Amino acid sequence: GGSTETGQALKYILHKGFPGGRNSSVPEVLIIISDGKSQGSTAMPAMQVKERHITVFAVGIKFPSRWEELHVLASEPPERHLLFAGDAEDAANGLYSTLSDPVCTATAPGCKVESHPCERRTLETVKEVAGNYVCWKGSKQPNAVQASLCPFIRWKRVLIKHPSRCFRTVCPDPCDSQPCQNGGTCVPEGLDRYHCLCLLGYAGDTHCAAKLSLDCGVDLLFLMDSSAGVTLEGFLRFKAFLKRFLQAVVGQDSPMSVGVAQYDDNVKIPIELGQHKDAFSLMKSIDALNFSGGRTLTGGALQYIAQHGFRSTPVFADVQGDLPRVVVLLTDSKSQDSVAEAAKYVKDQNLFLLGIGSSFMRAELTTVTGNPQQTIVYSDPQDLFNRMPELQRKICSVGSPEGCQAQSLDLAFAVDASSGVGLENFLRLRHFVRSSCLHFIINRDVTQIALVIYGRKAHTMFALDTHTSNSAVLQAIDQVPFLGDSASAGSALLHVYNDVMTVQRGARPGVNKVVVLLTNGGGMQDAAAPAQQLRHNGVLVFVVVIGDTERDMLLRVAGSPTYLVHISSYEDLQYYQGLIIERICEEARSPVNLCKPNPCMNQGVCILGPGSYRCQCHGWEGPHCETRVVRGDSPRSPALPPRSHVQWSPRGLQHFSRALQHSKRQ
């Protein structure tokens, strides 16, 4: 409290000096934070402070009313030493920038100071004549009153803007160098730190190097092509790959058994499943494998393996029959017999088939496995060895879908809670959503999940940015109520479009988006148009229908048979969870359009660039048109670059998402 005695404060500094200060080689800096309205004169003590070689920064708070006084206080040049603290964040950044140069000799590595046109503002009170009004005055005559016109004064607060020049520090994003390997996601932490979110099997170090260990229980049989088509060189390459892979994954406590077969015209199983219990004897047996060089009869080999490959099991492995059985086909030559029937036979025997080969084998491997996700193709010999973590991941995904791992995804469930579903079946749907969420890593950087229930109207139970952990999501799902009125799937999808999949509600630009509609098929008549709107805005609509409903209408909503799952009963819903999650995760891995959904707020137009985008704003400014332009009397300096044309890369998106949360809370 008290009056503003800036001059007295400066005299105190001159008298006391800098207590605890070091020798004269260390710069002395004084930062004065004031509204610029000192009771006494500041000119003389300010001059004396500067004569002592103390660098003075003057920071004007809110709306400084005497800029000239702040100019007197600040060191030269004033544009580097006079700051305006209307916004605390800008003031801190500006102060850091100015301290960096010339006072301090070092900025953060890679950072640079940039100048830009800006405005300094002063809120001043001015006297204004509002007009003349009749007033009464005394008169010399007794019992008489004299009327006259008197001026009426009012005080008005005026915001005056002064064009000026400001400085800011611009630092590179620590993720610009793309330090995370093998598909890892880089998450910045401040100016110079980051951490990597690694895909499964790539956590060998902080940069997602390959880390191989099969911590899943499987019976694993490798079927190696030993025909003339693969050549001796190709056979030896597969042998070296097999050795290196098994050395990496087969530990002393490995919960799996391994076998190796090779084929040309005939099939041999030189290493029976579970024959070796230590890595050393297994490697010796692989070394002893010889190239044979006959015809490439892949179909016959698969048929033989399905019948005989998993019969031999040691007596002591009493749980062997319960483990998933995986066949890994290593081939680099086109089959000379039919593979389609053999592949079907392999699947009928409940075997999981993976195919590995060079790029030109892609089509045949997809035919053999029946699924592009179960094939691994490589471009050159070294690339084959780089595929080891991918093989490990695919082997361990058998029988236990692991969600999307470190793939970023914004996922919304829209659940029918109408009377047509009924309370008992609604609870089944709720349990399905709950168990599906267990397959995802839920946080701000990986998967965000929202839940909408609907009857006649739709209600958001929680938005994408509400919960940041699996436990919080599961707890929230348990509280979701049954509605029990009529159903309108169209209003639910329209609600998702307007109020869920938007940046204002936590949706992240540059992240794939999926909405899963769980319904009994009622109230679908009005759903096709909002579903098309969502797809046009980059959101995949996945329709899961339980019961009998007209398929044509469902296809119009889903947009494609790929995104429609028709289930006969609620009891069978649990058996389709793996398929649904796999389809969702395929979408999470697909290329994303940075402008869909539109990351620009307030009718801003998103313009794509190479690996980035920019927002073109109208009446708003900021990277995402989030700040309204305050228009004043003084024109903006022509040197000011258009603020809406700021380029953003996908790596900055998570920071923007967090900043948006902060602004919403305020």
Side-chain angles (χ1 to χ4, degrees):
S3 57
T4 308
E5 298 288 355
T6 310
Q8 294 293 334
L10 291 175
K11 287 175 184 175
Y12 182 88
I13 294 288
L14 283 165
H15 177 63
K16 294 289 185 181
F18 277 67
R22 291 162 290 178
N23 60 44
S24 59
S25 68
V26 179
E28 292 180 328
V29 178
L30 174 64
I31 301 170
I32 302 172
I33 305 175
S34 166
D35 61 0
K37 289 185 287 189
S38 180
Q39 309 310 126
S41 172
T42 59
M44 184 58 72
M47 186 178 74
Q48 290 171 334
V49 166
K50 292 171 198 171
E51 284 173 352
R52 289 264 295 270
H53 302 294
I54 297 171
T55 304
V56 182
F57 289 91
V59 182
I61 298 174
K62 210 67 178 162
F63 297 106
S65 58
R66 293 186 191 161
W67 277 101
E68 59 277 7
E69 181 177 302
L70 292 173
H71 271 277
V72 168
L73 293 172
S75 294
E76 294 290 335
E79 64 266 18
R80 276 196 181 271
H81 297 90
L82 186 57
L83 300 171
F84 166 55
D87 181 281
E89 211 168 273
D90 282 349
N93 185 34
L95 194 59
Y96 171 72
S97 303
T98 48
L99 282 170
S100 299
D101 179 34
V103 177
C104 299
T105 53
T107 58
C111 296
K112 59 182 179 180
V113 178
E114 288 182 352
S115 70
H116 62 100
C118 60
E119 292 174 338
R120 302 197 187 283
R121 293 172 290 172
T122 304
L123 196 61
E124 297 184 7
T125 306
V126 296
K127 197 159 60 171
E128 192 179 68
V129 178
N132 293 313
Y133 294 83
V134 174
C135 62
W136 304 104
K137 293 187 175 181
S139 172
K140 292 179 182 178
Q141 300 172 9
N143 302 322
V145 176
Q146 182 180 344
S148 178
L149 286 176
C150 301
F152 178 71
I153 305 295
R154 68 180 173 200
W155 296 91
K156 185 178 179 184
R157 290 163 72 81
V158 181
L159 185 67
I160 298 175
K161 299 182 180 180
H162 309 271
S164 186
R165 193 148 205 87
C166 296
F167 293 83
R168 61 177 164 232
T169 303
V170 180
C171 297
D173 191 309
C175 289
D176 283 344
S177 61
Q178 300 181 347
C180 304
Q181 305 161 9
N182 299 309
T185 304
C186 182
V187 181
E189 295 174 352
L191 286 174
D192 56 354
R193 300 173 70 84
Y194 61 87
H195 70 271
C196 295
L197 287 171
C198 305
L199 294 170
L200 184 66
Y202 287 99
D205 63 10
T206 55
H207 295 106
C208 303
K211 176 188 178 183
L212 297 174
S213 69
L214 281 180
D215 52 0
C216 53
V218 291
D219 285 346
L220 182 61
L221 183 66
F222 288 90
L223 178 59
M224 288 174 60
D225 186 347
S226 180
S227 67
V230 80
T231 72
L232 175 60
E233 182 187 356
F235 177 78
L236 294 175
R237 185 187 307 136
F238 281 146
K239 213 162 92 163
F241 170 80
L242 189 55
K243 277 185 67 177
R244 194 183 296 183
F245 178 77
L246 292 174
Q247 279 173 325
V249 301
V250 178
Q252 195 172 1
D253 303 318
S254 181
M256 66 166 186
S257 58
V258 177
V260 180
Q262 62 182 98
Y263 73 95
D264 49 11
D265 297 87
N266 302 301
V267 185
K268 294 185 292 186
I269 309 179
I271 303 173
E272 296 279 358
L273 202 68
Q275 179 181 331
H276 296 286
K277 284 298 163 191
D278 64 272
F280 180 73
S281 63
L282 179 60
M283 294 308 129
K284 280 185 69 176
S285 296
I286 293 173
D287 279 333
L289 298 177
N290 292 315
F291 179 64
S292 48
R295 290 183 301 158
T296 310
L297 302 184
T298 307
L302 288 169
Q303 190 112 5
Y304 182 88
I305 287 299
Q307 292 171 338
H308 307 287
F310 292 87
R311 283 190 176 176
S312 171
T313 54
V315 177
F316 49 79
D318 55 347
V319 295
Q320 199 80 16
D322 297 330
L323 296 178
R325 299 183 297 176
V326 181
V327 177
V328 179
L329 172 66
L330 295 155
T331 179
D332 247 351
S333 55
K334 296 286 178 77
S335 178
Q336 293 172 268
D337 63 351
S338 172
V339 293
E341 284 300 314
K344 184 177 182 305
Y345 181 74
V346 167
K347 286 173 202 147
D348 290 344
Q349 299 302 306
N350 203 24
L351 303 181
F352 187 82
L353 185 57
L354 296 171
I356 300 178
S358 52
S359 302
F360 80 95
M361 290 293 295
R362 187 190 300 270
E364 183 167 306
L365 289 173
T366 302
T367 304
V368 170
T369 61
N371 186 346
Q373 298 298 316
Q374 289 170 227
T375 64
I376 296 173
V377 295
Y378 60 91
S379 53
D380 55 62
Q382 182 53 47
D383 190 37
L384 171 62
F385 291 97
N386 295 339
R387 302 287 173 173
M388 288 197 296
E390 186 180 351
L391 175 60
Q392 177 223 21
R393 191 167 67 252
K394 289 185 187 297
I395 291 170
C396 278
S397 69
V398 177
S400 58
E402 292 296 332
C404 304
Q405 295 304 324
Q407 295 291 336
S408 295
L409 177 68
D410 284 344
L411 174 61
F413 288 93
V415 182
D416 189 340
S418 67
S419 56
V421 170
L423 175 59
E424 186 181 350
N425 290 330
F426 170 76
L427 293 176
R428 285 195 176 101
L429 292 178
R430 197 173 77 175
H431 177 75
F432 174 84
V433 172
R434 192 183 194 282
S435 60
S436 296
C437 290
L438 293 169
H439 294 283
F440 297 93
I441 301 166
I442 299 172
N443 60 43
R444 288 273 181 268
D445 298 312
V446 187
T447 302
Q448 292 190 144
I449 291 183
L451 177 59
V452 171
I453 60 169
Y454 71 92
R456 190 169 50 84
K457 290 184 177 177
H459 308 271
T460 302
M461 293 294 98
F462 49 87
L464 288 165
D465 59 352
T466 305
H467 300 300
T468 57
S469 68
N470 289 66
S471 57
V473 167
L474 299 180
Q475 197 173 351
I477 291 171
D478 290 339
Q479 309 303 316
V480 174
F482 175 63
L483 299 176
D485 53 357
S486 59
S488 170
S491 67
L493 291 176
L494 196 60
H495 179 82
V496 171
Y497 178 84
N498 289 323
D499 293 290
V500 178
M501 290 296 183
T502 66
V503 287
Q504 293 90 335
R505 296 283 186 265
R508 296 164 294 176
V511 172
N512 277 307
K513 291 168 176 50
V514 177
V515 54
V516 178
L517 180 68
L518 291 162
T519 175
N520 71 340
M524 299 289 283
Q525 298 82 358
D526 57 350
Q532 183 55 40
Q533 263 185 301
L534 282 162
R535 277 192 294 276
H536 180 71
N537 212 32
V539 181
L540 170 71
V541 180
F542 200 100
V543 181
V544 180
V545 181
I546 302 98
D548 295 324
T549 311
E550 184 188 342
R551 186 171 171 81
D552 287 346
M553 185 196 302
L554 298 175
L555 277 173
R556 284 198 297 277
V557 178
S560 161
T562 309
Y563 304 121
L564 174 63
V565 174
H566 208 150
I567 303 169
S568 56
S569 69
Y570 287 89
E571 290 80 5
D572 291 340
L573 182 60
Q574 57 182 318
Y575 304 120
Y576 287 80
Q577 188 178 70
L579 169 69
I580 292 165
I581 289 173
E582 185 182 341
R583 297 251 179 99
I584 292 170
C585 292
E586 283 175 16
E587 180 64 18
R589 287 187 287 269
S590 65
V592 66
N593 183 335
L594 294 175
C595 282
K596 286 189 175 185
N598 187 2
C600 309
M601 295 186 268
N602 302 306
Q603 283 77 52
V605 178
C606 181
I607 298 171
L608 272 176
S612 64
Y613 66 86
R614 62 186 176 89
C615 289
Q616 192 167 337
C617 311
H618 304 284
W620 298 76
E621 58 186 2
H624 293 88
C625 309
E626 66 272 17
T627 308
R628 185 183 289 278
V629 175
V630 180
R631 304 204 177 277
D633 298 329
S634 59
R636 192 183 293 277
S637 166
L640 181 65
R643 295 193 184 187
S644 56
H645 291 210
V646 178
Q647 281 213 340
W648 272 54
S649 70
R651 285 184 292 279
L653 300 178
Q654 287 144 337
H655 287 307
F656 162 63
S657 182
R658 292 193 190 100
L660 186 62
Q661 304 314 312
H662 180 67
S663 68
K664 278 161 61 182
R665 284 196 295 274
Q666 287 188 331

